[in-house]
Amino acid sequence: MESRKSRLNLPAGMESSLRLDPVPSVSFFPAIPKTPSPKKTTYGDRFIPCRSSSRLQNFALTEKPSPSKEGGNDAYSRLLRAELFGHDPSPGGTPGGAQGSPISPNKNLFRFKTDHPAPSSPFAVSSMGIGHDNAVEVSTPPKIPRKIPKTPHKVLDAPSLQDDFYLNLVDWSSQNVLSVGLGTCVYLWSATTSKVTKLCDLGNRDGVCSIQWSKEGSYLAIGTSLGDVQIWDGTRCKMIRNMGGHSTRTGVLAWSSCILSSGSRDKNILNHDLRIPSDFASQHVGHRSEVCGLKWSHDDRELASGGNDNQRSQSPIFKLTEHTAAVKAITWSPHQHNLVASGGGTADRCIRFWNTSNGNMLNCVDTGSQVCNLAWSKNVNELVSTHGYSQNQIMVWKYPSLNKVATLTGHTLRVLYLAMSPDGQTIVTGAGDETLRFWNVFPSIKTPAPVRHTGVWSMGRTHIR
């Protein structure tokens, strides 16, 4: 019996000197009969997975019946070329590849598809593409227009609200307080608490012709029938200054950061600087009739004025005479510099858009009725116009396409007054029918979702005084 060789790999000569005694084997478990092990499989350098557990059917790799040897080689070659190269160069092939092949309708060989496709939507483009026999090319659905409520969510009675095209008797402050001139009095209405406060009464010899809040919303300027301009502290309900200069009624006011401009029936525009003791700091003379429109640009660099002489001007830079009626409605774009819009009266009925850097008219739209007011939304590039004869409507326009977004009705007389809430979503309109109506027109800045019909104020009619 041969002796077992040592399992240690020792150097020559050391094996004879080192004696290793075998260690007896000790087992505490019963012997387990040996079973022949299965035959081991030797793999090469390539790994070929088992195809039975794969999901090749998801990639449209369906097995196709092999063509018969009799006359089938040509058809099989054309099909293979169409699958690999996307077209069939043979004369008898189908143009556009394998699209017309009943065996392989799919142009893309490795197109992925789901096991359980979801129900098709009428707006969804078919995942089979153009190559699918029954596929219909569906265009992208048009954007759903924003829905604007057709009725006001709040109505306030405003007795003695004058039906005079040349007056400006409604304004909304940045502190969410609405001011309204009613006869000889000015009332403040808090949009937060719905509280009404009587600010002042000018007496029987005078009357309110225009009101305008300062930009920070603390001070209210009042133009009177006698031509004065009064400055009131809206919080303390106290007059802090009275400035003269006009010889007759002051029908329009406009604040910049530190200058208050006033326009009058005396055809003049006065610039009042509250930092100096004199009544006014400068004067603009250019209109030949009553000044009824006045707006400072958002950067306080330009002042646009409109008058009953059928023109609006940035005196003394430009004088624009395309309007054929009184220009009361003026608004500056908050989205583009040097862009201003103006609206004409009954004989004109047009809204015109101007580039104030060169005086060119950019566009014009005929509204069909007297344009009483304009306001440009700061949230979206749209503007709202209010109208008089003959439809008394409120219209929302998209700029620069000038498509009508909505037309609102409800007033029974000319919609002469317009103001916008500090958040830019709600407008208030006033008319000679002695009502103030609140409309949700524009979306918020953060979310372009449609405005909600319900507002922060309860429905129904209440009184401003």
Side-chain angles (χ1 to χ4, degrees), residues 11-12 18 44 83 103 105 137-138 141 154 174 196 203 219 231 248 269 275 282 304 348 372-373 378 391 398 414 423:
L18 181 62
E83 291 286 5
I103 301 177
E137 187 174 349
V138 181
K154 182 75 174 178
S174 59
V196 178
Y219 300 104
I231 308 297
T248 183
I269 300 172
R275 299 168 296 183
S282 60
D348 185 76
C372 300
N373 275 287
K378 63 180 181 179
Q391 302 177 37
K398 185 177 291 293
R414 298 182 295 176
D423 62 5

Side-chain angles (χ1 to χ4, degrees), residues 40-166:
K40 296 183 179 179
T41 303
T42 303
Y43 297 100
D45 57 348
R46 292 184 301 166
F47 175 72
I48 302 177
C50 178
R51 296 183 182 274
S52 61
S53 60
S54 64
R55 300 170 62 196
L56 295 180
Q57 68 274 10
N58 289 346
F59 294 87
L61 295 178
T62 57
E63 296 185 4
K64 302 174 178 61
S66 300
S68 60
K69 295 182 179 180
E70 294 78 20
N73 291 334
D74 293 340
Y76 180 75
S77 299
R78 287 198 302 269
L79 176 63
L80 182 60
R81 281 194 298 270
E83 291 286 5
L84 294 178
F85 304 110
H87 67 281
D88 188 358
S90 63
T94 304
Q99 296 177 7
S101 173
I103 301 177
S104 178
N106 303 317
K107 183 176 179 180
N108 191 348
L109 180 65
F110 295 101
R111 178 189 54 78
F112 182 78
K113 61 181 180 179
T114 56
D115 289 335
H116 304 286
S120 59
S121 168
F123 299 108
V125 180
S126 173
S127 62
M128 299 297 289
I130 304 177
H132 199 50
D133 293 339
N134 299 325
V136 178
E137 187 174 349
V138 181
S139 60
T140 304
K143 185 178 180 181
I144 300 176
R146 186 175 78 252
K147 292 183 179 180
I148 297 178
K150 298 294 185 180
T151 57
H153 64 79
K154 182 75 174 178
V155 178
L156 292 177
D157 278 328
S160 302
L161 185 62
Q162 297 187 55
D163 184 22
D164 192 328
F165 179 81
Y166 299 98

Side-chain angles (χ1 to χ4, degrees), residues 24-42:
S25 175
V26 180
S27 176
F28 297 96
F29 301 97
I32 301 176
K34 296 183 178 180
T35 58
S37 60
K39 185 178 179 180
K40 296 183 179 179
T41 303
T42 303

Side-chain angles (χ1 to χ4, degrees), residues 179-197:
S179 58
V180 184
L182 301 177
T184 62
C185 302
V186 175
Y187 291 87
L188 306 181
W189 181 79
S190 173
T192 306
T193 62
S194 297
K195 179 182 177 181
V196 178
T197 303

Side-chain angles (χ1 to χ4, degrees), residues 379 420-427 439-445 451-452:
N379 299 350
M420 189 176 296
S421 63
D423 62 5
Q425 298 184 62
T426 304
I427 62 169
W439 314 78
N440 282 327
V441 173
F442 298 114
S444 63
I445 298 179
V451 292
R452 297 175 61 87

